[in-house]
Amino acid sequence: MATQPHILVADDEKSIRLMLETGLSLNGFQVTTVRTGREALEAAAKCRFDAVLSDIYMPDVDGLQLVDNLRAAEPGLPIVLMTAQGSLEAAVQAVERGASDFIGKPFEIAAVVELLRRYLDARREASETPAAAEETESRLTKAGLIGRSAPMILVYKLIAQAARTDATVLIMGESGTGKELVARAIHDFSARRSRPFLSVNCSGLTDTLLEAELFGHTRGAFTGAATERGGLFEAADGGTLFLDELASTSPAFQASLLRVLQSGEVRRVGSTQPRRVDVRVVGASNAPLRDLVAAGTFRSDLFYRLSVLSVDLPPLRARSGDVELLTAHFLQAARDPGGAAPLLTREAADAISQHDFPGNVRELENALRRAVALST
């Protein structure tokens, strides 16, 4: 920005206001401080701010109410909430209410400066390319990720955060919630997008076959291995490998997978020669792995190695408002080429709205496809 970015700071603690005013001013920001949420709303009504830093717990209007009011007036305004009572509940509340980010007290002023600059840069780029937000939503939609409920907004944020790193990711969620779609979205938004994205379902395969599928094998390594062949780790070099249904794997295979994740090397079944690979691993399970770790059926070291970043996918019954969006999307996809999308009868719409979908998005999609196929 050509002029100094103007930041509004709202906090009932004088020491916090003074620290932020001094620290941000020294880093090139213009700062206005207020003591309460009501004063923040009055200031925002008189002046246009580039970003807002607000405490959550304040007299009269609290930080969450402030977010509601500021979002209604200016949807794209970066708003960062602060609290000394840092908790997952507070963070989730902040995100659900529309806050851009959440930081706990105490904090370093350098971290606040970096956070603000990141959001201000992103806002400037979005203003220079106004189609950027629509393009992002379009890419998510094309990937099959449909929804604007608060739980899905949180998932989108986690996808964006995961895509910026090469860390392993663990995706948890019930069957049919779209774990592979999330893994593919993480890949498509990452620097690895031009390299392969490969997936394998780990259930139903013996240890030998699963290791051969992933790590490759030499000729004669096991019955049926007539030729030497590379595995999916080698084929995905430079890209992403999605491992689904990890809960079904044996402790022996889990040990082999852990060695690969720790060393970055694979050995084909029957070979002693290691091969270096650069693969980002995304794992998934519809069973709660933490419970399996406690029960001793899943290795704790592998669990912690996989869950550097975690994404918990909400069931469809917890995604208020998304069923209608998904229904419209699936009906549009089922239309005849060049024709109009099929329409639901009132009875069908009522049945959908009252169903809790134990099979989640997959159940909804299959039900609509079947209905369209059988409809006369």
Side-chain angles (χ1 to χ4, degrees), residues 37-53:
R38 191 173 303 282
E39 291 177 6
L41 291 175
E42 292 171 355
K46 299 174 183 176
C47 178
R48 184 184 182 280
F49 294 96
D50 296 297
V52 176
L53 280 167

Side-chain angles (χ1 to χ4, degrees), residues 131-152:
E134 292 182 10
E135 180 184 353
T136 297
E137 184 171 349
S138 174
R139 289 172 66 187
L140 287 169
T141 300
K142 288 178 181 177
L145 291 168
I146 310 294
R148 295 175 185 169
S149 61
M152 286 305 292

Side-chain angles (χ1 to χ4, degrees), residues 37 46 72 102 112 131 137 174 240 256 260 287 289 292 319 339 355 358 371:
K46 299 174 183 176
F102 170 90
V112 178
E137 184 171 349
E174 297 178 7
T240 303
S256 299
V260 173
L289 290 188
L292 299 184
R319 295 170 52 182
H355 190 53

Side-chain angles (χ1 to χ4, degrees), residues 205-239:
L205 294 175
T206 65
D207 284 359
T208 299
L209 291 178
L210 185 55
E211 290 192 10
E213 182 75 6
L214 293 175
F215 311 143
H217 59 79
T218 60
R219 180 180 179 182
F222 53 88
T223 302
T227 60
E228 184 164 353
R229 185 176 67 85
L232 293 181
F233 266 98
E234 292 179 55
D237 194 29

